[in-house]
Amino acid sequence: MSYPEHVCIKEVGPRDGLQNEKSFIPTERKIEWINTLSETGLSYIEITSFVHPKWIPALSDSYEVAVGINRKPGVTYAALVPNMKGLEKALQADVDEVSVFMSASNTHNQKNINKSIEDTLPVLQETVREAMAAGKKVRGYLSTVFGCPYEGHVPSEQVEQIALRLFDMGVYEVSLGDTVGVGNPSQVEMCLNEWANSLPFKQIALHFHDTRGMALANTLVGLKAGITTFDGALGGLGGCPYAKGASGNVATDDLVHMLNEMNVSTGVDLSKLLKSGHFIEASLNKPLRSHQMAVTRLEQNVGKE
Amino acid sequence: MSYPEHVCIKEVGPRDGLQNEKSFIPTERKIEWINTLSETGLSYIEITSFVHPKWIPALSDSYEVAVGINRKPGVTYAALVPNMKGLEKALQADVDEVSVFMSASNTHNQKNINKSIEDTLPVLQETVREAMAAGKKVRGYLSTVFGCPYEGHVPSEQVEQIALRLFDMGVYEVSLGDTVGVGNPSQVEMCLNEWANSLPFKQIALHFHDTRGMALANTLVGLKAGITTFDGALGGLGGCPYAKGASGNVATDDLVHMLNEMNVSTGVDLSKLLKSGHFIEASLNKPLRSHQMAVTRLEQNVGKE
């Protein structure tokens, strides 16, 4: 196998992670956490989501977070926006980039954003156009790419078609999400083979959830296929509130650790990342699930004996 | 990538798992657990270890377990033996197979079995000879193959040389163990490439610990290299009491799930395996760490809502 020399890790913990946590992290703690993330070497942090607070109360302070953090030069601070209303707020807060999202399966799309896929596309199109008119780059998320909690199998052609529609709108990157963590390495390999000629892999990110423990194995397959952008949430935070069984994003720290060990550079300082993990762990008042966080706790306890 | 059509999973939970648990599982519960494992389709179960009870009190009832279980036809019931004394007891209990063990790094070997590598080899040689004279097949475990908690890097040539010595003694299979869970996919691939011409891969098993979350990714690399035997412990039980940070074998259930999804047959019924996991989980009175066990608990709770 050959692997890329460098990959870009996009930290989605403050958004995809916290949106699925029951406890509300005080705004000041969120800001402080994101400020520690900015010091780890990460070049991209998705800091919040400008959705209606009724949908995701955990992120109801998105504006305050976006204007409260230190903007470190060289780091891109992005936010999720579902539509024009969200975009307006994101522009008011002057985030660096926005992300739009939809699902590759119709039922999940309907349950998640209350619209069919066909009805969602024009909403995203308008949002992308306005964002770009305001000088912002736009990323597109496609969910349930390797399986839907309601429909099961999602045809790879369907994923391809919607991803191409997103590129046509002007998004610079599509993040393909295994929202419920059901994709297996053979499947991921087969899909990537099918997409190799139709999708521009330098503009494709992979977004794995580790529900069934296969996220790092799937990452390996992605690396081998030439994908160089991967999403993660520090400590394995996150999930999807509408997808039963989805218990968290792949842990950024486990991802960075594996890549470091494989001599694939990420630019991320693992020890700083783990310190940032301990900060949010203390705020959440529960242990984070990642292996690196567990190993660190164990080493600290051993040291105390 | 191409993968084998069938792989053999060797369940080491009753030995490698339980030996590192603080609570003593009553003999009757162990026997009942192993009996449930026998009904899952597993063809090989390492049921206990005939070491001095002072070393591993959790397995002090090895004889009672070995003679108490139902021996299902077609299932091999194996036990670990450190030396002639252990072998004698294992032969008294008439287990189907025995396993001998040593480390690929001298310091770990010294700390684990109180002898240098060179002084261990004659002990194992005598044990293997006597076991074979008694009509038993012998498996060899080699620990710290991808890294040592005391020495760090372990040269792949050293692993190769000791593995060949074990084969020379007459063992039919060598299980290469990542005792502290530090091996990464690039390293495993590089080592397997180096060993491809010197070690008989059909007689090599891989034994991963998931301390840093890389066990399934490493398994993928092993499959690709043509390895067809993998060790696991149900629910992710286990570890190594002498290796700081080693928090458990790769979970057999996660391994079987991934292989099933990849259409690599294992002969193991996942739902029966998970039921067996719930049995030992109840006996240990703590949640097992595996992803499959967590997903099952979640689904059961969701069902109750």
Side-chain angles (χ1 to χ4, degrees):
Chain A
M1 289 192 201
S2 64
Y3 302 105
E5 274 181 37
H6 180 81
V7 307
C8 175
I9 305 289
K10 299 199 165 179
E11 172 62 41
V12 299
R15 193 276 303 173
D16 202 6
L18 293 189
Q19 78 174 31
N20 203 29
E21 293 295 335
K22 281 174 186 165
S23 54
F24 181 85
I25 305 292
T27 309
E28 281 310 309
R29 297 286 288 177
K30 281 178 187 148
I31 290 171
E32 205 177 334
W33 179 40
I34 295 167
N35 288 343
T36 65
L37 285 171
S38 294
E39 300 302 323
T40 61
L42 284 163
S43 60
Y44 188 102
I45 308 172
E46 194 175 68
I47 55 171
T48 191
S49 176
F50 287 92
V51 294
H52 197 288
K54 211 171 63 183
W55 289 9
I56 303 179
L59 302 182
S60 59
D61 55 358
S62 45
Y63 181 83
E64 291 75 15
V65 168
V67 300
I69 55 169
N70 300 330
R71 304 275 180 103
K72 190 183 166 84
V75 179
T76 298
Y77 298 92
L80 202 70
V81 299
N83 49 33
M84 281 299 296
K85 214 162 188 170
L87 175 63
E88 276 166 33
K89 289 183 196 152
L91 292 177
Q92 280 166 23
D94 197 28
V95 297
D96 298 327
E97 269 190 33
V98 295
S99 299
V100 295
F101 61 97
M102 62 183 295
S103 305
S105 58
N106 208 50
T107 317
H108 188 268
N109 200 71
Q110 193 78 47
K111 300 234 180 200
N112 200 19
I113 46 187
N114 215 16
K115 279 188 182 62
S116 70
I117 285 177
E118 279 310 314
D119 290 346
T120 304
L121 288 164
V123 176
L124 299 197
Q125 183 143 36
E126 186 192 9
T127 311
V128 173
R129 189 175 49 228
E130 291 302 314
M132 289 174 71
K136 303 295 179 189
K137 288 170 76 181
V138 186
R139 188 179 204 226
Y141 279 106
L142 199 47
S143 302
T144 64
V145 158
F146 298 108
C148 170
Y150 309 106
E151 297 179 17
H153 175 69
V154 176
S156 61
E157 303 77 22
Q158 195 167 310
V159 173
E160 183 186 303
Q161 290 310 313
I162 304 176
L164 290 173
R165 298 278 289 268
L166 288 167
F167 281 121
D168 282 345
M169 291 179 196
V171 308
Y172 74 95
E173 181 173 275
V174 174
S175 176
L176 300 175
D178 185 12
T179 314
V180 282
V182 292
N184 71 72
S186 292
Q187 178 192 5
V188 172
E189 184 189 3
M190 225 179 311
C191 288
L192 289 172
N193 279 344
E194 285 176 32
W195 299 329
N197 292 320
S198 52
L199 298 180
F201 276 12
K202 292 292 162 210
Q203 293 164 265
I204 291 289
L206 291 175
H207 178 107
F208 290 118
H209 283 231
D210 202 30
T211 321
R212 288 158 187 83
M214 296 184 286
L216 290 183
N218 287 337
T219 299
L220 198 66
V221 173
L223 286 170
K224 168 70 182 154
I227 301 291
T228 53
T229 305
F230 295 88
D231 299 350
L234 181 51
L237 280 165
C240 173
Y242 305 96
K244 170 181 149 187
S247 71
N249 288 93
V250 65
T252 311
D253 40 329
D254 289 340
L255 190 56
V256 165
H257 171 265
M258 183 177 86
L259 294 168
N260 280 353
E261 295 294 304
M262 293 172 68
N263 291 320
V264 175
S265 82
T266 60
V268 182
D269 181 319
L270 183 60
S271 66
K272 287 183 182 170
L273 194 63
L274 290 169
K275 273 187 196 157
S276 178
H278 291 297
F279 180 88
I280 191 64
E281 187 171 64
S283 306
L284 284 165
N285 201 24
K286 67 169 190 184
L288 292 178
R289 274 183 300 256
S290 72
H291 293 268
Q292 281 303 307
M293 291 292 291
V295 167
T296 313
R297 274 192 299 271
L298 191 62
E299 284 170 354
Q300 285 171 339
N301 288 335
V302 169
K304 277 178 197 156
E305 271 168 15
Chain B
M1 290 191 197
S2 63
Y3 302 105
E5 274 180 37
H6 180 81
V7 307
C8 174
I9 304 289
K10 298 199 166 179
E11 172 62 42
V12 300
R15 193 276 302 174
D16 202 5
L18 294 189
Q19 78 174 30
N20 204 30
E21 294 295 334
K22 282 175 185 164
S23 53
F24 181 85
I25 306 291
T27 309
E28 281 309 311
R29 298 286 289 177
K30 281 179 187 147
I31 290 171
E32 204 177 335
W33 180 40
I34 294 166
N35 288 344
T36 66
L37 285 171
S38 295
E39 300 302 324
T40 61
L42 283 163
S43 60
Y44 188 103
I45 307 171
E46 194 175 70
I47 56 171
T48 191
S49 175
F50 287 92
V51 294
H52 196 286
K54 210 172 62 183
W55 289 9
I56 302 179
L59 302 182
S60 59
D61 54 358
S62 44
Y63 181 83
E64 290 74 15
V65 168
V67 299
I69 56 169
N70 300 330
R71 305 276 180 101
K72 190 183 168 84
V75 179
T76 298
Y77 298 92
L80 202 70
V81 299
N83 50 32
M84 282 299 295
K85 214 161 187 170
L87 175 63
E88 277 166 32
K89 288 182 196 153
L91 292 177
Q92 280 166 23
D94 196 28
V95 296
D96 298 327
E97 269 190 33
V98 295
S99 299
V100 296
F101 61 97
M102 63 183 296
S103 305
S105 58
N106 209 51
T107 316
H108 187 268
N109 199 70
Q110 194 79 46
K111 300 235 181 200
N112 199 19
I113 47 186
N114 215 17
K115 279 189 180 64
S116 70
I117 284 176
E118 279 310 314
D119 290 346
T120 303
L121 288 164
V123 176
L124 298 198
Q125 184 142 36
E126 187 190 9
T127 310
V128 173
R129 190 173 49 229
E130 291 302 315
M132 290 174 72
K136 303 295 180 191
K137 288 170 76 181
V138 187
R139 189 180 203 223
Y141 278 105
L142 198 47
S143 303
T144 64
V145 156
F146 298 108
C148 170
Y150 309 106
E151 296 179 17
H153 175 69
V154 176
S156 61
E157 303 78 23
Q158 195 167 310
V159 173
E160 182 186 303
Q161 290 311 312
I162 305 176
L164 290 173
R165 298 278 288 268
L166 288 167
F167 281 121
D168 282 345
M169 290 177 195
V171 308
Y172 75 94
E173 181 172 276
V174 174
S175 175
L176 300 176
D178 185 12
T179 314
V180 281
V182 292
N184 71 72
S186 292
Q187 178 193 6
V188 172
E189 185 188 3
M190 225 180 309
C191 288
L192 289 172
N193 279 343
E194 285 175 34
W195 299 329
N197 292 320
S198 52
L199 298 179
F201 276 11
K202 292 292 159 209
Q203 292 164 265
I204 291 289
L206 291 175
H207 178 107
F208 290 118
H209 283 230
D210 202 30
T211 322
R212 288 159 188 83
M214 296 183 287
L216 290 183
N218 287 337
T219 299
L220 199 66
V221 173
L223 287 170
K224 169 71 182 153
I227 302 291
T228 53
T229 305
F230 295 87
D231 299 351
L234 182 51
L237 282 164
C240 173
Y242 304 98
K244 169 181 148 187
S247 70
N249 288 93
V250 65
T252 311
D253 40 331
D254 289 341
L255 189 56
V256 165
H257 172 265
M258 183 177 84
L259 293 168
N260 281 354
E261 295 294 304
M262 293 172 67
N263 290 320
V264 175
S265 81
T266 60
V268 182
D269 181 318
L270 183 59
S271 66
K272 287 184 182 171
L273 195 62
L274 290 170
K275 272 187 197 160
S276 178
H278 290 297
F279 180 87
I280 191 64
E281 188 172 63
S283 305
L284 283 165
N285 201 22
K286 67 169 191 184
L288 292 178
R289 273 182 299 254
S290 71
H291 293 267
Q292 281 304 306
M293 291 292 290
V295 167
T296 313
R297 274 191 300 271
L298 191 61
E299 284 169 352
Q300 285 171 339
N301 288 336
V302 169
K304 277 178 199 158
E305 272 167 14

